[in-house]
Amino acid sequence: MDALATPPANEPTPPRSGPACTACGETAIVHWLRRLTGDELDEVRRVEQERREQALLLADPQLPPPVFPPLPTGEGFTRTVYSCGPHAITMDAAALVHASSCTAPNDADLPGCDCTPEPPPEARIEPAAAPLPDHWVTGGA
Ligand SMILES: [Zn+2]
Ligand SMILES: [Zn+2]
């Protein structure tokens, strides 16, 4: 079943579609990422633990039991922070992953935030393109 399917007709139409600004609740137009807080990570681990327990219950007893990797540690997990235009942090800051403790969007720190975002991933170094032959260059010989 498609989770994005339109709701049945007898349900009231939601006043807005899409996420709301974390600070004021207006319709969000921008977003950025931050790491999970301890509570959020606990929740991720709890859900994963339940999924594994269910998988063990449903496993075929005639086969070796399923083996799971260690529970997630938060590495690679992010939460999306939504914001309206007036509460948006700078575009440069929004391109980075923020700390779990980041309180943005927060009026006191706008257009910045109160954490030190993670550095961007290493930029890919593209090999320099070989020069085109002269007769492929507009205005060339
Ligand atoms: Zn807002
Ligand atoms: Zn931040």
Side-chain angles (χ1 to χ4, degrees):
M1 160 116 186
D2 185 0
L4 297 174
T6 46
N10 58 356
E11 280 185 21
T13 314
R16 105 176 91 241
S17 63
C21 173
T22 311
C24 69
E26 282 298 311
T27 303
I29 57 170
V30 298
H31 70 265
W32 56 91
L33 299 176
R34 66 164 172 78
R35 292 296 173 192
L36 271 58
T37 64
D39 285 352
E40 289 165 345
L41 180 58
D42 286 348
E43 176 67 10
V44 167
R45 292 167 66 100
R46 188 186 64 74
V47 169
E48 174 63 12
Q49 186 62 47
E50 284 180 8
R51 188 191 70 78
R52 292 178 181 192
E53 283 163 11
Q54 196 67 22
L56 283 170
L57 279 178
L58 299 175
D60 186 339
Q62 298 192 342
L63 295 175
V67 177
F68 301 109
L71 283 171
T73 58
E75 189 71 31
F77 282 85
T78 52
R79 282 290 148 96
T80 306
V81 181
Y82 294 99
S83 163
C84 68
H87 283 120
I89 59 175
T90 64
M91 200 160 76
D92 285 346
L96 304 173
V97 177
H98 290 251
S100 61
S101 59
C102 182
T103 59
N106 180 347
D107 286 318
D109 301 305
L110 287 175
C113 71
D114 64 345
C115 82
T116 305
E118 295 174 15
E122 290 288 318
R124 276 195 309 150
I125 297 165
E126 301 283 346
L132 288 169
D134 282 349
H135 60 281
W136 272 60
V137 180
T138 308

